[in-house]
Amino acid sequence: MKEKRIRGIAASPGIAIGPVYRYEPTLVRVEAETCQDVSAELARLETALAEARQELRLLAEQASKSVGPNEAAIFSAHEVFLQDPELLQQVQQRIRQRQSAAFAWQEGFRYYIHQLGAIQDEYLQARVLDLEDVAQRVLRHLTGQSEQSLQLSTPAVIVARELTPSALVRCPRELVLALCTAQGGPTSHVAILARALGVPAVVGLGESATALRSGQVVIVDGEQGLIVAEPGEGELTLYRQRRLRLQEQAKRAEQSRLQPACTRDGHSYPVRANIQAPEEVAEARACGAEGIGLLRTEFLFLERSQAPTEDEQLEIYRAIIEAMRPAPVVIRTFDIGGDKPAPYLSLPSESNPFLGVRGVRLGLKYPALLRTQLRALLRAGAGHELRILFPMVSSYEEAEALRQLTRAVQEELRQQGQPLAERIELGIMIEVPAAALLTEAFAEVVDFFSLGTNDLTQYTLAADRTNESTAPLADPFHPAVLRLLQLTIEAAHRRQRRVEICGELAAEPLAIPLLLGLGIDELSMVPRAIPGCKQVIRRWAESEARQIALHALQMRTAAEVRSYLRACSPDELTAKEDGGSEAERA
Ligand code: PEP
Ligand code: MG
């Protein structure tokens, strides 16, 4: 058979070669049924819910051990869905109308999902798969069916229409060579899990995925979002060589991960970690992070029914600062709103949440919430230097207001005799083109800048980062984005301000010469990417990087930039992350 190339969305880097395992779990469906004994059916529902909750706790534990705390949080979120009073009321009402518990649950949940789907909220819409997973779990308990797990006995490339986190967590990691799904985008849970596991993944393959059969050998290129089915000898040799190179590079990177990242001509760059839960501090340190460049604090504010108290926050921030000492920790104030709702704020739904009240817009609208966080931060920094970062700043007035608010909180704490941070640096994320263009003005009121290329890309290119259809447009290598990075860095340096990057572009090996050449001062990324990034930095001389950046800035398309960078640094192409040590995955 002639080799066939199927294109999808690159969701997790690395290369895998191996046989396909098609995972096609059948969904539990029940026909309309009535019941005689309403209270017995209500009790059956209660039992099934309790069993499902118990199962979710076990899955969370399993995920926490095998993947990490963030992935475990997926299952805690599932548990929250099971407690939604609106959903439960809906189902109980149906049972009282004499529907069987199973049918009432199926239909009640269907209605609930339909309602959520109608809400113009990308976060919830992206979670529909999770909801279906939860619905099936309870339905299985009600009908006495067991979960169809992924039954792998030999290493394989899993191909599925969609993959739920629970199916994945139960599967032995060493047998999973790669993940390929017809549905899903780069922000789906499968993509997140694959990256956390270090398994290559290609998602959004659409109907083409159905052409792949169990047992058929495929190459999965997680870097390019490509699957080669029935590869010829030439292609196999090429990819095997690439995989081997990757494995060797990853090994070298691993060995030198605790050393600083210095260019060949002696410039050193701090490489720090992006984390979003206190449990990740250990991983950050183990990966060689020289501090935390971005602590996303949303974990304290989302998926709960009340805002966190000052003391609760204080304890967590303090623990993280202490654990990283003497390396710096940049703590970002909550970036809620947009795709990350906080139920206790009862925010009105917005037709374009990403263009709505998120980040500091929300913080300035609810100053009590931000004040509490600032108090906790300033207190947590007592005896240390403190770096606070504000997300989603788009105007000078906002930056000024944030600075004033921080000063006011500082004064208030002083008057109350509370110990607080001695030296405080305030920074803003550059995520909105307006902020990039006004960097020089912002330098009057802030001490440093952090390039949030995830959002800067979506706002510059008008391509929603959570929308699968616009995912190919949202390319941070687009020359328009690069020019904004250049403007920001040049303006900041004119005013002796530091520029860091914490968007995912920093974790792209291809982007390293570009970033060094543009004059970036510090980099921050997911912990796993740190060893590889340090290794790539060591390969370059700053003078070379400057030439490359100048040249790339003249290009017209993201594709041209990427292919130019590939040509300049063929070896670094996929040095980003190692997929594992097995023979068939890198
Ligand atoms: C960014 O926008 O690049 C960023 C780092 O912030 P987040 O991904 O949390 O929006
Ligand atoms: Mg952002």
Side-chain angles (χ1 to χ4, degrees):
M1 186 183 160
K2 208 171 157 315
E3 67 189 28
K4 189 171 169 202
R5 305 170 93 79
I6 306 175
R7 289 215 165 263
I9 299 168
S12 175
I15 292 165
I17 303 172
V20 165
Y21 171 91
R22 286 203 62 118
Y23 177 58
E24 288 162 354
T26 45
L27 294 178
V28 183
R29 290 274 172 254
V30 288
E31 297 298 319
E33 292 168 323
T34 52
C35 71
Q36 301 304 323
D37 187 346
V38 168
S39 39
E41 285 305 283
L42 285 171
R44 282 190 61 213
L45 174 68
E46 272 315 307
T47 312
L49 287 170
E51 286 167 349
R53 279 198 293 271
Q54 174 67 12
E55 219 167 61
L56 285 168
R57 271 173 219 151
L58 283 176
L59 279 167
E61 254 174 56
Q62 221 167 338
S64 179
K65 279 191 210 120
S66 61
V67 204
N70 274 331
E71 290 65 31
I74 297 174
F75 300 105
S76 314
H78 282 196
E79 221 188 308
V80 174
F81 284 130
L82 287 186
Q83 288 155 6
D84 189 314
E86 233 172 274
L87 166 70
L88 296 180
Q89 244 173 24
Q90 163 78 227
V91 179
Q92 285 159 350
Q93 179 143 350
R94 285 170 181 270
I95 296 178
R96 287 196 193 95
Q97 290 162 352
R98 303 209 169 270
Q99 289 185 1
S100 72
F103 189 65
W105 176 259
Q106 175 181 285
E107 296 307 299
F109 216 102
R110 202 200 301 261
Y111 179 72
Y112 180 66
I113 292 179
H114 172 76
Q115 274 193 320
L116 286 182
I119 298 175
Q120 288 292 313
D121 181 329
E122 284 82 356
Y123 179 82
L124 286 176
Q125 286 192 357
R127 301 282 85 90
V128 165
L129 177 59
D130 292 75
L131 283 168
E132 278 162 0
D133 195 14
V134 175
Q136 283 288 310
R137 182 171 309 285
V138 177
L139 212 48
R140 276 195 302 271
H141 283 287
L142 283 167
T143 54
Q145 300 187 39
S146 56
E147 188 164 3
Q148 276 175 290
S149 54
L150 264 160
Q151 308 240 322
L152 289 186
S153 50
T154 51
V157 170
I158 299 171
V159 178
R161 173 144 212 92
E162 56 196 26
L163 272 167
T164 57
S166 50
L168 272 179
V169 158
R170 289 211 160 118
C171 190
R173 182 197 177 287
E174 61 281 7
L175 298 184
V176 181
L177 295 178
L179 300 172
C180 306
T181 60
Q183 301 190 342
T187 55
S188 60
H189 276 151
V190 185
I192 296 169
L193 270 170
R195 287 195 291 265
L197 288 166
V199 167
V202 179
V203 298
L205 288 161
E207 284 312 303
S208 335
T210 52
L212 298 168
R213 301 180 319 273
S214 276
Q216 180 181 32
V217 170
V218 292
I219 297 172
V220 180
D221 182 338
E223 186 74 28
Q224 316 224 26
L226 176 71
I227 295 179
V228 186
E230 302 290 340
E233 261 319 304
E235 194 101 31
L236 275 172
T237 311
L238 220 85
Y239 268 98
R240 284 197 180 114
Q241 284 167 352
R242 241 177 85 187
R243 200 182 52 196
L244 194 68
R245 250 195 351 254
L246 270 178
Q247 282 167 347
E248 283 163 1
Q249 275 172 8
K251 206 160 142 197
R252 281 198 298 277
E254 235 6 76
Q255 284 162 351
S256 54
R257 70 191 191 283
L258 302 177
Q259 311 301 321
C262 273
T263 55
R264 290 199 332 267
D265 47 356
H267 295 266
S268 78
Y269 289 87
V271 182
R272 312 198 202 279
N274 289 356
I275 63 166
Q276 40 213 340
E279 296 84 350
E280 286 176 289
V281 167
E283 189 194 358
R285 292 185 69 101
C287 289
E290 298 150 298
I292 303 295
L294 171 66
L295 168 62
R296 293 182 167 101
T297 56
E298 290 79 63
F299 71 94
L300 276 162
F301 293 84
L302 302 176
E303 279 155 17
R304 50 187 290 160
S305 53
Q306 278 178 334
T309 64
E310 181 178 323
D311 285 344
E312 185 186 344
Q313 295 186 56
L314 168 68
E315 208 173 301
I316 291 171
Y317 303 147
R318 188 182 276 158
I320 295 176
I321 293 173
E322 293 282 340
M324 289 310 295
R325 231 182 131 143
V329 177
V330 179
I331 306 183
R332 185 175 76 180
T333 59
F334 56 79
D335 186 13
I336 48 184
D339 64 332
K340 304 161 187 159
Y344 48 89
L345 290 179
S346 315
L347 301 171
S349 78
E350 296 175 301
S351 50
N352 282 306
F354 273 123
L355 301 181
V357 185
R358 66 171 288 210
V360 295
R361 294 180 179 177
L362 191 128
L364 291 169
K365 201 168 170 194
Y366 296 86
L369 202 62
L370 185 54
R371 228 169 215 284
T372 306
Q373 184 172 31
L374 288 172
R375 280 182 61 96
L377 286 172
L378 291 174
R379 288 176 62 198
H384 307 275
E385 171 199 306
L386 179 67
R387 300 186 184 184
I388 302 177
L389 182 61
F390 294 107
M392 188 66 190
V393 172
S394 57
S395 74
Y396 183 83
E397 292 94 324
E398 282 166 347
E400 225 180 1
L402 291 163
R403 186 184 156 92
Q404 276 169 13
L405 185 65
T406 314
R407 296 284 171 256
V409 171
Q410 211 173 344
E411 197 42 46
E412 179 182 279
L413 286 168
R414 249 189 224 121
Q415 293 201 353
Q416 291 170 351
Q418 294 273 11
L420 70 159
E422 288 149 15
R423 205 176 111 69
I424 302 164
E425 281 200 351
L426 298 184
I428 58 168
M429 299 273 297
I430 297 290
E431 293 173 296
V432 181
L437 293 164
L438 287 179
T439 302
E440 198 149 356
F442 283 116
E444 292 168 15
V445 278
V446 299
D447 307 297
F448 70 98
F449 298 95
S450 190
L451 297 168
T453 45
N454 309 342
D455 276 312
L456 186 62
T457 304
Q458 82 161 339
Y459 293 132
T460 305
L461 302 174
D464 184 336
R465 64 193 268 193
T466 62
N467 181 340
E468 288 165 36
S469 326
T470 54
L473 292 175
D475 192 328
F477 286 93
H478 193 290
V481 178
L482 303 183
R483 286 185 188 211
L484 287 173
L485 301 187
Q486 180 195 31
L487 280 175
T488 305
I489 297 172
E490 286 183 357
H493 286 176
R494 275 199 297 278
R495 295 292 183 137
Q496 289 79 47
R497 294 290 184 263
R498 194 175 69 241
V499 184
E500 315 174 351
I501 176 165
C502 63
E504 290 193 19
L505 184 65
E508 296 263 0
L510 269 190
I512 298 297
L514 204 55
L515 296 170
L516 304 190
L518 289 172
I520 199 77
D521 299 298
E522 298 183 5
L523 300 99
S524 189
M525 62 200 62
V526 286
R528 273 186 67 88
I530 293 174
C533 167
K534 285 186 168 182
Q535 194 67 355
V536 178
I537 292 176
R538 294 182 190 118
R539 298 230 164 172
W540 292 99
E542 223 178 49
S543 47
E544 274 167 3
R546 260 197 303 276
Q547 291 306 317
I548 289 176
L550 278 179
H551 202 73
L553 282 164
Q554 302 312 315
M555 298 190 159
R556 295 163 302 184
T557 67
E560 282 175 9
V561 173
R562 281 180 185 271
S563 80
Y564 167 64
L565 292 172
R566 272 196 192 106
C568 294
S569 50
D571 275 0
E572 326 300 347
L573 178 60
T574 41
K576 183 163 23 180
E577 277 181 29
D578 173 35
S581 56
E582 302 78 17
E584 298 293 340
R585 189 174 64 205

